[in-house]
Amino acid sequence: MGRRDRIAEPWGRRTPYGRGASWPVRVDAALEDGIRGEDVERWVPSASILHSNGDALDIAVAGGRIVGVRGRRDDRVNHGRIDPKDLFAWRANASPDRLRAPLVRREGRLVETDWDTAMDEIVRTSRQVLDRHGPGGMGFYTSGQLFLEEYYTQAVIGRGAIGTNHVDGNTRLCTATAAQALKESFGSDGQPGSYGDIDHADVIALYGHNMAETQTVLWSRILDRLAGPEPPRILCVDPRRTPVSEAATVHLAPLPGTNLALMNGILHELITRDLVDRDYVDAHTVGFAELADRVRDYPPEEAGRISGVDPGDIRAAAQLVASADRLLSTVLEGFYQSNQATAAAVQVNNVHLVLGMLGRPGAGVLQMNGQPTAQNTRECGANGDLPGFRNWSNEAHVAELAELWNVDVMHIPHYAPPTHAMQMIRYAEQGSLRFLWVTATNPAVSLPELRRIRSVLGDDRLFLVVQDLFRTETAELADVVLPAATWGEKTGTFTNSDRTVHLSAKAVDPPGAARSDLDIFLDYARRMDFRDADGNPLPNWHDPESAFEAWKRCSAGRPCDYTGITYERLRTEGGIQWPCTSDSPEGTERLYTEGGFWAAPDVCEDYGKDLLTGAPLEPTEYRTMNPSGKAVLKAAGYVPPHESATAELPFVLITGRTLYQFHTRTKTGRAAQLNDAAPEVWAELSRGDAERLGAAEGDLLELANPRGRLRARLRITGIRDGTVFLPFHYGYWDQDADEGRAANELTVTDWDPASKQPIFKTAAVAVRRVVAGEGTPAPAPTTTASAPVTGGVPPTRGGPAAEVDESPDPVEGAGHHRGNRA
Ligand SMILES: Nc1nc2c(c(=O)[nH]1)N[C@H]1C(S)=C(S)[C@@H](COP(=O)(O)OP(=O)(O)OC[C@H]3O[C@@H](n4cnc5c(=O)[nH]c(N)nc54)[C@H](O)[C@@H]3O)O[C@H]1N2
Ligand SMILES: Nc1nc2c(c(=O)[nH]1)N[C@H]1C(S)=C(S)[C@@H](COP(=O)(O)OP(=O)(O)OC[C@H]3O[C@@H](n4cnc5c(=O)[nH]c(N)nc54)[C@H](O)[C@@H]3O)O[C@H]1N2
Ligand SMILES: [Mo]
């Protein structure tokens, strides 16, 4: 099939297929300039690390260096394809500014030191804080980008050895709402659907999910269905014009923050027009009467009034999903980070439950993940959950952990729900949290209201450890910086959005003295001399595989049961979907096929919350409501966002992603192909709003509200009126700058009451034009949702450096893994 510029054509060449057929193979490969297939000495199995899709790939190694990547043709997830970020960003691993030695703060400055000095300082401070403040003085803020083995080790150290409740991940910012929505509806986290559902669905609905840019390989699968016989029809719910909306049969562009009203409008139509699957509802759910009652207040006219969507379009959307023979829905940040996040995401589950659209090929829900390993943070209990999706308010579940770890049950905090990240920041601000260990996340750019975050993390009272690959904005605030090995330099497993587990093996050595996160945590545990009740070391494992085996014991009998998976199987077979047990050795493609949910009172992960207030249900209340563990139809009424547009701050600010950059750009900003495609922050406005401001493409704008200010060049796009979009990828200029370029200078300290996920997608801002662009367009890509609606902007191209091999066969001279392609 030849070579393609995958910056200009991010989704690559079409390989059309029809409904129910197998998605054709297309193997994407990118090797360093001058390296040919036969120069590659080893291909090391891994998967993509720059989104949640879990695209299986092999890392090419020559001369002790990573020299490229190639998609794995036999893997169930990607059938050989990889996305532009994964094709190019591996170059960042070898970046000359990687951290090569630990840093400690001396007289205000970070200076290089050795591991003993750095670890001694961490251990000494840990002991001091434990003595003076107890376990509640200690906090761990981790990631959705480490490996399963590392999270489980962190969870055991934090919850079992130290006994602090303050362990959370940046998954709180990412998919806490996905987890909570799944718990509310089905009793437990765990994705009901499968990527294979794309092959069978005739209607696919994407809610607040710009899949084309954020899971580009999965979108390629949909594009290939759209290009084949019997294409699916698409529903898109997004206030911007995106590649998804361009492909949609029905596009609803709500005012940001009004998803719940819109969903209630859709459910109103399904219920009042009696499009409900009564048999399914009666057999498998509780709560239908309350739901019907609640949505009665949201006829399309009312839902449309609130959301600014034409009532006819709401009817058309309801008609579209109701007409599906097999309906697949996906949900992401446009719901999870917006007003009433959990309540809105739950209504998508409700659509599936009332239509009986679950557990069959093509009929499924994907409450998507964002980060590559977020599923593992959640299942291992390194975020605000207990390991193995155990219920913190179920005494028996906590006792299981105490037995597994051989510690006193009272030592594992379960007096309150695990502390969420925003609350940890609050404790640090108030001074009760004195030690914070940040791993694989860059909160000085990614948390809301950065001026506040800088002041909390930079406070002398807080001892801040930052473990990263680079000297990030957050590392600059740290007391100790630890240099970590990353993907390709260490071994571990991780699980994608559709429960597929992959092994990522070490391909090359990390730079300098950098060490794997797992080794660092285990070293800390030894130096702290953590012991179980019998005086044995805790944790009692020593490497990735022994950590994985320990995790398997923890997962046994829970929804995320890994007991049938081994490193050897992952190495030889490729991705396997959990649960995988001796009863289901091939893994499990879909959950809840016979209705059987994880919602019975004794097994469920959560008794649920009031969606408006977040108040948790008492165990007895849950038992009464759902004694036999059916799915729960949970309803909620609309309430406006806490911050809406005003006369002074007339625009609603939404923030999000572009295809070519990943988060705070520590990797994608260091690969020329990706960096050049979107090198600098920009702001998107509609044509009408731009005219009203007297601004043209490329003009410099200032966005401001009481929390901060930033400047960005204007791109005029198909976004809805009254809304301004900023990519959140670009870190601030310098620590003292009062005016930055990070979107989070302007976002608000606020979170969803049920999931505690911060609201990154509704804030109010003023926008004014500062300087004319003089014909220079905004530094925004043209191939994406940022596509200009005005002429004269040159198209985004990568050129020869971005040319990638796309072939039905593997590149020359390379062996392939056997696999279980779906
Ligand atoms: N290229 C790229 N891919 C990524 C990542 C990345 O950084 N770059 N990050 C990964 C991670 S961690 C995540 S979490 C995912 C996120 O993946 P997505 O959720 O797809 O990405 P976002 O751009 O955050 O938001 C999606 C859409 O939500 C819309 N939106 C904003 N407010 C609202 C609202 O109130 N209602 C509705 N209905 N829509 C709204 C925005 O217009 C935007 O197009 O992407 C993953 N993949
Ligand atoms: N305004 C706004 N803010 C947002 C969002 C938004 O849409 N809008 N989205 C939110 C979401 S969904 C997310 S997921 C977050 C992401 O926000 P962050 O997690 O802060 O972003 P990253 O840049 O991915 O940070 C990961 C860090 O880990 C480092 N790293 C990578 N691999 C390893 C490793 O193996 N070990 C160690 N120790 N370090 C490693 C990287 O160098 C990087 O510094 O941002 C959130 N913030
Ligand atoms: Mo995320």
Side-chain angles (χ1 to χ4, degrees):
M1 299 189 201
R3 291 171 72 75
R4 300 218 155 209
D5 177 343
R6 288 290 295 280
I7 296 294
E9 296 176 86
W11 304 281
R13 197 190 101 116
R14 294 282 53 76
T15 50
Y17 70 121
R19 192 167 176 203
S22 171
W23 189 26
V25 167
R26 185 195 83 198
V27 177
D28 298 350
L31 293 178
E32 198 177 276
D33 232 16
I35 300 272
R36 297 164 49 82
E38 56 269 26
D39 302 328
V40 176
E41 292 155 18
R42 284 183 300 132
W43 292 94
V44 179
S46 183
S48 56
I49 198 80
L50 298 169
H51 48 81
S52 61
N53 212 48
D55 301 324
L57 53 82
D58 291 321
I59 303 173
V61 181
R65 294 184 308 118
I66 297 179
V67 295
V69 289
R70 180 187 65 199
R72 274 228 298 285
R73 58 184 292 120
D74 287 335
D75 197 87
R76 65 173 304 281
V77 171
N78 53 326
H79 298 208
R81 292 158 187 79
I82 32 186
D83 100 336
K85 295 194 303 314
D86 298 307
L87 286 165
F88 304 118
W90 48 268
R91 287 174 169 81
N93 273 40
S95 182
D97 59 347
R98 281 287 298 273
L99 289 168
R100 303 172 67 86
L103 309 175
V104 287
R105 196 166 288 279
R106 296 282 180 264
E107 285 152 19
R109 293 185 46 244
L110 287 171
V111 296
E112 287 203 357
T113 188
D114 54 48
W115 275 101
D116 277 336
T117 307
M119 292 307 283
D120 282 351
E121 204 151 314
I122 294 171
V123 167
R124 195 172 349 107
T125 310
S126 300
R127 292 217 169 100
Q128 262 168 23
V129 170
L130 284 168
D131 282 350
R132 289 186 202 155
H133 304 270
M138 305 279 294
F140 295 84
Y141 182 48
T142 189
S143 182
Q145 300 172 44
L146 298 181
F147 290 152
L148 175 152
E149 295 76 2
E150 297 170 329
Y151 297 132
Y152 187 51
T153 303
Q154 275 190 305
V156 173
I157 289 174
R159 300 190 192 284
I162 293 177
T164 176
N165 211 17
H166 312 324
V167 181
D168 201 4
N170 67 357
T171 44
R172 184 66 63 182
L173 324 182
C174 182
T175 47
T177 302
Q180 193 61 36
L182 292 167
K183 293 180 212 175
E184 294 291 346
S185 301
F186 310 119
S188 173
D189 196 345
Q191 209 60 259
S194 162
Y195 289 170
D197 289 335
I198 290 175
D199 307 348
H200 302 279
D202 62 332
V203 177
I204 303 177
L206 295 97
Y207 296 98
H209 184 190
N210 186 7
M211 186 196 282
E213 298 194 46
T214 57
Q215 284 170 294
T216 60
V217 168
L218 206 59
W219 183 245
S220 299
R221 196 165 183 156
I222 293 182
L223 287 177
D224 285 345
R225 279 277 332 264
L226 289 170
E230 284 190 87
R233 289 160 297 155
I234 308 284
L235 168 64
C236 171
V237 182
D238 194 310
R240 291 193 300 157
R241 182 190 295 168
T242 68
V244 176
S245 77
E246 300 274 273
T249 310
V250 178
H251 175 204
L252 308 180
L255 187 68
T258 64
N259 294 318
L260 182 67
L262 199 63
M263 293 311 298
N264 281 353
I266 291 175
L267 281 158
H268 175 278
E269 286 302 281
L270 299 182
I271 292 174
T272 58
R273 290 163 61 196
D274 203 22
L275 301 167
V276 170
D277 181 342
R278 290 280 169 186
D279 293 340
Y280 189 93
V281 167
D282 291 345
H284 298 303
T285 71
V286 295
F288 183 74
E290 291 92 321
L291 178 69
D293 204 38
R294 176 63 64 212
V295 302
R296 196 163 298 132
D297 300 338
Y298 298 87
E301 283 65 27
E302 175 62 5
R305 187 191 62 76
I306 297 169
S307 62
V309 172
D310 184 278
D313 290 344
I314 298 176
R315 287 201 177 84
Q319 187 56 46
L320 181 61
V321 297
S323 73
D325 167 46
R326 299 292 164 98
L327 171 68
L328 172 66
S329 295
T330 77
V331 193
L332 238 176
E333 301 303 353
F335 272 44
Y336 301 163
Q337 294 174 340
S338 193
N339 180 43
Q340 297 194 282
T342 308
V346 158
Q347 303 319 313
V348 179
N349 296 341
N350 288 348
V351 167
H352 281 260
L353 289 166
V354 302
L355 295 175
M357 283 286 171
L358 267 185
R360 290 171 290 139
V365 183
L366 292 162
Q367 295 280 354
M368 281 291 181
N369 297 339
Q371 291 175 91
T373 76
Q375 189 63 49
N376 309 105
T377 323
R378 276 149 50 187
E379 64 205 22
C380 291
N383 69 331
D385 291 297
L386 293 187
F389 297 154
R390 284 180 175 81
N391 187 338
W392 67 269
S393 53
N394 182 333
E395 211 47 61
H397 285 197
V398 186
E400 284 170 14
L401 291 176
E403 195 186 316
L404 206 60
W405 301 340
N406 190 21
V407 299
D408 184 345
V409 68
M410 291 316 291
H411 192 65
I412 303 174
H414 59 289
Y415 51 88
T419 316
H420 63 92
M422 294 298 286
Q423 188 64 40
M424 278 163 55
I425 294 292
R426 181 78 185 124
Y427 288 151
E429 190 170 41
Q430 290 169 322
S432 71
L433 192 94
R434 294 299 176 116
F435 174 107
L436 184 63
W437 192 331
V438 173
T439 41
T441 180
N442 191 5
V445 180
S446 57
L447 282 176
E449 206 183 336
L450 287 181
R451 193 188 291 167
R452 168 174 179 257
I453 299 301
R454 282 193 286 273
S455 97
V456 174
L457 296 182
D459 193 323
D460 286 345
R461 214 164 41 172
L462 178 73
F463 185 80
L464 180 68
V465 181
V466 172
Q467 192 163 304
D468 205 292
L469 320 179
F470 297 103
R471 221 167 136 156
T472 60
E473 291 84 347
T474 310
E476 291 301 337
L477 303 170
D479 296 285
V480 177
V481 179
L482 300 177
T486 187
W487 174 93
E489 301 162 353
K490 61 181 182 181
T491 294
T493 55
F494 58 101
T495 307
N496 78 347
S497 285
D498 87 338
R499 293 173 282 102
T500 305
V501 186
H502 285 113
L503 176 76
S504 182
K506 177 174 171 174
V508 299
D509 286 328
R515 301 170 66 188
S516 79
D517 296 276
L518 180 67
D519 286 344
I520 299 171
F521 300 145
L522 290 175
D523 184 31
Y524 174 70
R526 300 287 173 271
R527 289 176 193 254
M528 291 293 288
D529 199 27
F530 294 134
R531 307 246 165 208
D532 69 9
D534 293 322
N536 297 314
L538 181 72
N540 63 2
W541 46 87
H542 57 276
D543 68 357
E545 193 161 0
S546 55
F548 185 76
E549 291 298 319
W551 160 249
K552 281 163 65 178
R553 290 190 287 280
C554 182
S555 76
R558 296 299 300 161
C560 49
D561 194 322
Y562 279 68
T563 49
I565 305 180
T566 61
Y567 268 32
E568 184 52 28
R569 285 194 65 189
L570 294 172
R571 223 176 261 126
T572 53
E573 295 171 34
I576 302 174
Q577 282 172 294
W578 66 244
C580 174
T581 65
S582 50
D583 293 337
S584 56
E586 300 307 312
T588 308
E589 182 160 22
R590 291 176 187 85
L591 303 184
Y592 313 140
T593 45
E594 310 291 330
F597 302 100
W598 279 90
D602 291 336
V603 299
C604 69
E605 184 181 5
D606 198 308
Y607 299 124
K609 290 174 180 162
D610 181 272
L611 298 178
L612 289 189
T613 64
L617 262 71
E618 291 299 322
T620 48
E621 288 177 280
Y622 186 80
R623 243 172 233 287
T624 311
M625 176 196 56
N626 193 18
S628 59
K630 295 183 175 186
V632 180
L633 290 164
K634 218 167 202 179
Y638 169 75
V639 292
H642 291 155
E643 188 168 294
S644 301
T646 61
E648 293 75 42
L649 305 173
F651 286 90
V652 181
L653 170 70
I654 58 176
T655 62
R657 295 162 167 75
T658 189
L659 192 147
Y660 302 101
Q661 300 293 354
F662 182 68
H663 296 176
T664 73
R665 303 198 321 135
T666 64
K667 289 187 174 178
T668 51
R670 286 177 171 86
Q673 292 89 338
L674 299 165
N675 186 59
D676 295 351
E680 191 43 84
V681 69
W682 68 91
E684 296 174 16
L685 286 177
S686 71
R687 195 194 288 266
D689 285 335
E691 274 166 16
R692 280 183 283 280
L693 291 174
E697 166 75 33
D699 285 1
L700 190 65
L701 304 180
E702 183 181 84
L703 284 69
N705 64 20
R707 294 176 293 274
R709 288 186 296 157
L710 68 81
R711 288 180 176 201
R713 297 211 172 261
L714 169 64
R715 167 58 50 87
I716 302 173
T717 70
I719 193 170
R720 67 165 289 146
D721 288 343
T723 308
V724 53
F725 173 88
L726 282 176
F728 86 103
H729 304 294
Y730 304 88
Y732 49 87
W733 299 117
D734 71 69
Q735 204 171 313
D736 306 316
D738 192 38
E739 176 179 295
R741 55 170 189 166
N744 281 320
E745 303 291 350
L746 301 170
T747 49
V748 49
T749 300
D750 189 11
W751 52 82
D752 181 64
S755 69
K756 319 294 182 200
Q757 181 160 346
I759 309 293
F760 292 112
K761 290 184 171 44
T762 41
V765 289
V767 180
R768 71 182 178 94
R769 173 177 172 279
V770 191
V771 185
E774 285 162 358
T776 311
T782 61
T783 45
T784 63
S786 311
V789 291
T790 54
V793 179
T796 299
R797 293 272 174 270
E803 278 183 12
V804 166
D805 226 47
E806 288 184 355
S807 95
D809 294 307
V811 291
E812 264 176 88
H816 265 282
H817 297 267
R818 275 193 301 120
N820 58 347
R821 192 164 73 224

